[in-house]
Protein backbone atom coordinates (compact mmCIF):
# COMPACT_ATOMS: atom_id res chain seq x y z
CA UNK A 1 0.00 0.00 0.00
CA UNK A 2 1.49 3.31 -1.10
CA UNK A 3 -0.01 5.28 1.80
CA UNK A 4 1.58 2.93 4.32
CA UNK A 5 4.99 3.29 2.68
CA UNK A 6 4.67 7.07 2.62
CA UNK A 7 3.79 7.08 6.31
CA UNK A 8 6.80 4.90 7.14
CA UNK A 9 8.99 7.32 5.19
CA UNK A 10 7.84 10.18 7.43
CA UNK A 11 8.52 8.07 10.51
CA UNK A 12 12.08 7.35 9.36
CA UNK A 13 12.63 11.00 8.42
CA UNK A 14 11.40 12.05 11.86
CA UNK A 15 13.70 9.59 13.62
CA UNK A 16 16.70 10.68 11.56
CA UNK A 17 16.05 14.35 12.23
CA UNK A 18 15.58 13.66 15.94
CA UNK A 19 18.99 11.96 16.07
CA UNK A 20 20.51 14.94 14.28
CA UNK A 21 18.89 17.29 16.84
CA UNK A 22 16.84 18.93 14.09
CA UNK A 23 13.81 19.09 16.33
CA UNK A 24 11.61 21.26 14.11
CA UNK A 25 12.14 18.92 11.15
CA UNK A 26 11.55 15.88 13.35
CA UNK A 27 8.32 17.36 14.69
CA UNK A 28 7.05 18.13 11.18
CA UNK A 29 7.79 14.60 9.95
CA UNK A 30 6.33 12.92 13.03
CA UNK A 31 3.16 15.03 12.82
CA UNK A 32 2.75 14.07 9.16
CA UNK A 33 3.18 10.41 10.14
CA UNK A 34 0.51 10.73 12.85
CA UNK A 35 -1.83 12.49 10.40
CA UNK A 36 -1.43 9.62 7.96
CA UNK A 37 -1.56 6.77 10.52
CA UNK A 38 -3.47 8.09 13.56
CA UNK A 39 -4.25 4.59 14.84
CA UNK A 40 -0.83 3.02 14.27
CA UNK A 41 0.42 0.86 17.14
CA UNK A 42 3.21 3.35 17.82
CA UNK A 43 1.09 6.51 17.35
CA UNK A 44 0.98 7.35 21.06
CA UNK A 45 4.72 6.80 21.38
CA UNK A 46 5.24 9.25 18.53
CA UNK A 47 2.78 11.72 20.09
CA UNK A 48 4.73 11.51 23.36
CA UNK A 49 7.98 12.07 21.45
CA UNK A 50 6.48 15.08 19.66
CA UNK A 51 5.38 16.50 23.02
CA UNK A 52 8.89 16.08 24.40
CA UNK A 53 10.40 17.71 21.32
CA UNK A 54 8.05 20.67 21.62
CA UNK A 55 8.93 20.92 25.30
CA UNK A 56 12.63 20.84 24.48
CA UNK A 57 12.18 23.62 21.93
CA UNK A 58 10.32 25.77 24.47
CA UNK A 59 6.83 25.53 22.96
CA UNK A 60 4.89 24.77 26.14
CA UNK A 61 1.44 25.07 24.56
CA UNK A 62 2.14 22.49 21.85
CA UNK A 63 3.93 20.22 24.34
CA UNK A 64 0.88 20.27 26.61
CA UNK A 65 -1.41 19.65 23.63
CA UNK A 66 0.49 16.51 22.64
CA UNK A 67 0.98 15.24 26.20
CA UNK A 68 -2.80 15.49 26.70
CA UNK A 69 -3.32 13.23 23.68
CA UNK A 70 -1.65 10.32 25.51
CA UNK A 71 -3.05 10.79 29.02
CA UNK A 72 -5.22 7.67 28.73
CA UNK A 73 -2.38 5.50 27.44
CA UNK A 74 -1.25 3.08 30.18
CA UNK A 75 2.38 3.33 29.07
CA UNK A 76 2.64 7.12 28.72
CA UNK A 77 -0.24 8.54 30.76
CA UNK A 78 1.48 8.97 34.13
CA UNK A 79 4.54 10.65 32.62
CA UNK A 80 2.38 12.80 30.37
CA UNK A 81 0.32 13.96 33.36
CA UNK A 82 3.48 14.90 35.27
CA UNK A 83 4.68 16.93 32.30
CA UNK A 84 1.32 18.66 31.80
CA UNK A 85 1.22 19.57 35.49
CA UNK A 86 4.80 20.88 35.43
CA UNK A 87 4.29 22.86 32.23
CA UNK A 88 1.00 24.33 33.40
CA UNK A 89 2.57 26.06 36.41
Amino acid sequence: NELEQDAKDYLVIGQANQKLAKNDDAIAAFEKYIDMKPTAKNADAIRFTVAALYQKSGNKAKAIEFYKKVLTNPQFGASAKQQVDALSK
Side-chain angles (χ1 to χ4, degrees), residues 30-31 33-54 62-71 73 76 80:
F30 285 144
E31 285 186 338
Y33 172 76
I34 292 168
D35 287 345
M36 295 175 83
K37 303 267 301 180
T39 59
K41 288 181 182 180
N42 65 343
D44 279 350
I46 299 302
R47 287 182 186 97
F48 190 85
T49 298
V50 169
L53 290 170
Y54 272 126
K62 291 297 279 185
I64 290 169
E65 175 187 332
F66 274 84
Y67 281 130
K68 284 183 175 180
K69 292 179 181 190
V70 298
L71 287 175
N73 183 295
F76 302 107

